[in-house]
Amino acid sequence: MSKKHPVVAVTGSSGAGTTTVKRAFEHIFYRDGINAAVIEGDSFHRYTRKQMKAEMAKAAEEHRNLSHFGPEANHFDLLAELFSSYGDTGTGRKRYYIHSDEEAAEHNQRLGTNLSPGEFTPWEEVPAGTDLLFYEGLHGLAKTDEADVARYVDLGIGVVPIVNLEWIQKIHRDNAERGYSAEAIVDTILRRMPDYIRHITPQFTRTDINFQRVSTVDTSDPFIARDIPTPDESFVVIRFKQPEKFDVDFVYLLSMIKESFMSRRNTIVVPGGKMGFAMEIILQPIIERMMAARNV
């Protein structure tokens, strides 16, 4: 934990709403003039896209599971090392995972390389002089016997829909964007399930704040759903592990977010369409206090 060089980690699987929270933080950083070192979780995968396909085929032959959710396919040790180093010195080693041709062109021009989508850039130092480290990915609060990423996080945010909704989002995304068949997507979900239970779900007990989207329409069988429930067809359950730690003013939040209500003493429920707005008014004062503490 570091007051001088704080680490903020947003953890949640792809499609869970991490993009919304990332955008909320971008707005906060812009308004407050905060220079953040942004770290993408994919950059700490162990294998390139090509290598991962080969490793998955090998794992299948050996009747064992391998997925991006688990430690075998990720460098939890290097992620913990980065968080620790940044907290101590304000720098550390990072790299990028290239998702698209556009990203490849950008990094190749910057680095003088000839990389393709599915590959990693070389390791480089986080630039000196940033105000905080912002991580968004699968394992911001991961913990195993070999590596404890969570211990170095100053503010942990979990973003997770109820599991049927998460599956609906994955099925539709993988089918529409990647052309996967329904059978292939179900196989992927089943293969990932042991790692999801062991390494993704436990992180949400270590977070300071969780944002969980809950659908208000029937998602009983996610494998036959014809569309993804819209934000207006859902609520977001926001749970604070220790409200007093961040001086959470629930009365203020209830007055600012129309149709919100308290479901427990540490939990506020807001309309799904207000998720981004709720994130900003909750997180901005927390980030501002973290920045003020750097100067004490």
Side-chain angles (χ1 to χ4, degrees):
M1 305 288 280
S2 171
K3 284 187 176 182
K4 187 67 175 176
H5 307 290
V7 173
V8 177
V10 176
T11 191
S13 56
S14 180
T18 50
T19 300
T20 302
V21 72
K22 184 178 180 181
R23 188 177 301 117
F25 272 106
E26 287 172 349
H27 292 167
I28 294 168
F29 296 157
Y30 175 78
R31 284 195 296 266
D32 287 354
I34 294 171
N35 179 19
V38 178
I39 304 297
E40 299 174 353
D42 289 354
S43 62
F44 284 84
H45 288 333
R46 188 178 300 274
Y47 303 113
T48 65
R49 188 178 298 166
K50 183 177 180 181
Q51 290 170 339
M52 187 62 177
K53 288 181 179 178
E55 291 295 327
M56 286 170 55
K58 180 180 177 182
E61 290 177 359
E62 297 172 356
H63 303 288
R64 58 183 175 86
N65 287 312
L66 178 69
S67 80
H68 279 129
F69 287 167
E72 292 81 5
N74 293 280
H75 287 296
F76 289 178
D77 55 339
L78 298 183
L79 182 58
E81 182 181 305
L82 169 62
F83 285 8
S84 174
S85 174
Y86 188 88
D88 289 340
T89 67
T91 189
R93 292 205 313 157
K94 69 170 184 175
R95 66 178 178 179
Y96 296 92
Y97 177 84
I98 300 174
H99 297 88
S100 64
D101 290 331
E102 291 76 15
E103 289 184 8
E106 176 187 345
H107 289 297
N108 285 333
Q109 182 178 12
R110 181 176 66 89
L111 298 168
T113 51
N114 188 30
L115 299 166
S116 301
E119 297 180 330
F120 300 102
T121 64
W123 291 100
E124 55 189 292
E125 289 294 308
V126 173
T130 55
D131 298 314
L132 60 77
L133 184 147
F134 176 79
Y135 167 95
E136 185 265 319
L138 288 170
H139 301 111
L141 290 107
K143 183 177 181 179
T144 66
D145 291 339
E146 291 73 32
D148 186 352
V149 179
R151 67 176 292 191
Y152 303 109
V153 174
D154 298 279
L155 174 63
I157 308 294
V159 187
V160 55
I162 58 172
V163 69
N164 279 20
L165 180 55
E166 182 170 351
W167 288 346
I168 290 173
Q169 292 178 157
K170 176 172 178 56
I171 290 165
H172 281 259
R173 185 200 65 204
D174 285 2
N175 178 260
E177 297 180 9
R178 303 175 183 176
Y180 294 170
S181 68
E183 293 78 10
I185 298 168
V186 171
D187 286 345
T188 299
I189 290 172
L190 291 172
R191 175 173 52 81
R192 289 178 170 182
M193 189 53 61
D195 283 335
Y196 187 91
I197 292 170
R198 294 188 187 105
H199 302 291
I200 301 298
T201 302
Q203 293 183 85
F204 301 116
T205 64
R206 304 176 193 128
T207 47
D208 296 297
I209 309 171
N210 281 338
F211 295 85
Q212 183 177 43
R213 191 153 78 93
V214 179
S215 173
T216 57
V217 296
D218 186 11
T219 60
S220 303
D221 187 346
F223 304 108
I224 65 168
R226 289 178 292 180
D227 52 31
I228 301 172
T230 66
D232 289 335
E233 294 174 326
S234 63
F235 284 101
V236 179
V237 179
I238 306 170
R239 187 273 295 170
F240 299 83
K241 188 174 185 179
Q242 296 176 292
E244 62 280 1
K245 178 179 178 181
F246 300 110
D247 296 324
V248 180
D249 188 342
F250 287 112
V251 174
Y252 170 74
L253 295 177
L254 291 169
S255 69
M256 289 292 292
I257 307 171
K258 188 178 179 181
E259 298 179 355
S260 61
F261 61 92
M262 301 287 294
S263 61
R264 287 189 175 179
R265 61 167 293 277
N266 65 340
T267 304
I268 185 170
V269 182
V270 306
K274 297 291 186 180
M275 180 173 174
F277 175 66
M279 287 177 171
E280 291 193 36
I281 64 171
I282 288 169
L283 296 170
Q284 181 151 352
I286 295 173
I287 295 297
E288 289 175 349
R289 283 195 291 272
M290 293 174 72
M291 292 298 96
R294 296 179 72 229
N295 300 318
V296 173

